[in-house]
Amino acid sequence: MELQITKEELVEKLQTEAVSVTFTKADGSERTMLCTKMVSKIPEAQHPKTDKVAKLDENGNVIETDLITVFDLEKEGWRSFNFSKVKVIQ
């Protein structure tokens, strides 16, 4: 099933609300995670310390990855998932 959302649209959605994301983990198992990037929903002690620095290649160009870093609201910690492995977004 093709997702009807781009990575950028999902990141924007995560910045304004909690989203349930079902994806395939690196070990092949499936996981559903309630997550967000909304600072107001993240405990203060867990707030990001700095803006994440983009990874650069040897020529100084930004390396685009499919990895999205989010705050897991159920496990209360930072997690990441591969956007290309996402199956369902609710």
Side-chain angles (χ1 to χ4, degrees), residues 5-31:
I5 188 170
T6 66
K7 179 185 172 202
E8 291 72 24
E9 288 168 339
L10 175 56
V11 169
E12 281 179 31
K13 189 174 173 74
L14 285 160
Q15 288 169 339
T16 59
E17 61 187 284
V19 182
S20 175
V21 179
T22 302
F23 59 96
T24 305
K25 291 172 42 175
D27 66 7
S29 64
E30 197 169 279
R31 171 148 192 247

Side-chain angles (χ1 to χ4, degrees), residues 11-80:
V11 169
E12 281 179 31
K13 189 174 173 74
L14 285 160
Q15 288 169 339
T16 59
E17 61 187 284
V19 182
S20 175
V21 179
T22 302
F23 59 96
T24 305
K25 291 172 42 175
D27 66 7
S29 64
E30 197 169 279
R31 171 148 192 247
T32 299
M33 175 169 53
L34 183 63
C35 55
T36 191
K37 284 180 165 286
M38 244 179 105
V39 174
S40 63
K41 289 193 178 282
I42 300 168
E44 200 168 326
Q46 301 272 21
H47 282 184
K49 288 164 186 55
T50 58
D51 286 335
K52 199 167 187 182
V53 178
K55 286 194 167 71
L56 304 176
D57 66 15
E58 63 276 3
N59 300 320
N61 298 315
V62 174
I63 299 170
E64 284 295 323
T65 70
D66 275 341
L67 228 53
I68 298 177
T69 303
V70 295
F71 189 80
D72 183 328
L73 292 165
E74 291 160 333
K75 297 204 171 159
E76 296 191 347
W78 289 96
R79 303 287 187 270
S80 58

